[in-house]
């Protein structure tokens, strides 16, 4: 059966400190990553930590993009979850890697929502 969604967990290394520690830059890059992947952005929220780091989420019609940065380590933990066929989570991950001026990306994809071949009502009652 075809999965409902694709979930990419990305480890992005060797990023520029000044980008990962700037809430405005991280927010803009994350929103643009969603758009680059073909997603429809609904809303977003980001938080700047002291002394450093940014966390945030971009809610898209197709699910979400989330990030937490460790600027002092040049590292960003990212997850991109998309549902349907319209949006490719890898496009978002590759865009983020480029925009963060990263040296290395390690990522893996998990298929989400591979439902058993049983009627929906039975699945709910299990």
């Amino acid at each position: 059966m075809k999965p409902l969604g694709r979930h990419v967990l990305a480890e992005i290394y060797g990023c520029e400190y000044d980008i990962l520690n700037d809430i405005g830059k991280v927010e803009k890059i994350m929103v643009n990553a969603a758009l680059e992947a073909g997603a429809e952005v609904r809303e977003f929220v980001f938080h700047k930590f002291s002394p450093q780091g940014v966390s945030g989420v971009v809610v898209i019609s197709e699910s979400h993009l989330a990030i937490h940065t460790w600027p002092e380590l040049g590292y960003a933990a990212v997850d991109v979850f998309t549902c349907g066929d319209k949006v490719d989570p890898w496009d978002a991950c590759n865009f983020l890697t480029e925009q963060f001026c990263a040296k290395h990306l390690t990522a893996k994809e998990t298929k989400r929502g591979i439902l058993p071949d049983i009627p929906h009502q039975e699945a709910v009652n299990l």
Side-chain angles (χ1 to χ4, degrees):
M1 173 162 208
K2 185 177 176 185
L4 296 175
R6 301 165 64 193
H7 198 163
V8 175
L9 298 178
E11 312 284 323
I12 306 176
Y13 301 98
C15 305
E16 289 191 8
Y17 177 94
D18 290 338
I19 297 172
L20 293 187
N21 202 42
D22 185 318
I23 188 171
K25 288 179 183 175
V26 172
E27 180 180 292
K28 182 178 179 182
I29 290 168
M30 288 289 288
V31 168
N32 285 333
L35 296 172
E36 182 77 16
E40 182 178 338
V41 175
R42 291 297 182 174
E43 55 188 294
F44 48 88
V45 62
F46 287 81
H47 176 78
K48 173 77 167 75
F49 293 96
S50 179
Q52 61 217 358
V54 174
S55 284
V57 64
V58 178
V59 178
I60 57 176
S61 294
E62 303 80 8
S63 194
H64 71 273
L65 289 78
I67 189 168
H68 187 76
T69 72
W70 284 263
E72 71 278 18
L73 302 175
Y75 169 71
V78 173
D79 77 90
V80 181
F81 183 21
T82 63
C83 298
D85 296 326
K86 181 181 141 195
V87 180
D88 186 341
W90 289 102
D91 289 344
C93 289
N94 291 330
F95 180 84
L96 293 170
T97 302
E98 177 185 304
Q99 293 299 304
F100 293 150
C101 301
K103 292 181 175 58
H104 186 70
L105 165 70
T106 299
K108 76 171 157 179
E109 180 177 330
T110 300
K111 306 293 187 209
R112 304 290 305 269
I114 300 174
L115 303 175
D117 192 21
I118 55 178
H120 177 69
Q121 191 63 21
E122 288 180 44
V124 171
N125 293 327
L126 290 177

